[in-house]
Amino acid sequence: MDRNRRAQLVLDIGRRLLAGPVMVRADELDIQLIEWRSAAREAAATLGRPLTLYTHGDRAWAALADAAPRRVTVAVEPSRAVAPA
């Protein structure tokens, strides 16, 4: 990929990331998914923001860290209810 095309890709991804989380499928891209992931990281670095990036199979999901889902652990106390007789 030439430098101008790469720069345009980084710019486009950066704009999309600013709008919210981005999900792409490999068959929707004209480049390899690994190249898209690299450009997403570069876009986040250009914006000066941390990036959360997940990939699974032929899909990638990226978001600037403050827009990423957070894992929440909930402790549930067992019910003390008595089963009906």
Side-chain angles (χ1 to χ4, degrees):
M1 174 181 295
D2 67 18
R3 294 177 79 186
N4 289 335
R5 186 168 177 222
R6 169 78 180 200
Q8 185 61 45
L9 176 64
V10 169
L11 183 64
D12 291 342
I13 292 172
R15 287 180 182 151
R16 290 179 66 188
L17 287 170
L18 285 172
V22 178
M23 188 182 89
V24 296
R25 292 177 33 167
D27 60 356
E28 297 170 347
L29 302 172
D30 59 349
I31 59 173
Q32 291 186 356
L33 193 55
I34 195 166
E35 182 72 23
W36 188 91
R37 289 173 40 195
S38 173
R41 287 187 189 103
E42 186 177 335
T46 300
L47 294 170
R49 306 270 300 274
L51 180 73
T52 300
L53 181 64
Y54 299 103
T55 57
H56 181 73
D58 68 341
R59 294 186 177 144
W61 180 91
L64 296 175
D66 61 344
R70 290 173 171 72
R71 290 183 184 210
V72 177
T73 303
V74 179
V76 178
E77 186 174 322
S79 174
R80 296 182 186 181
V82 177

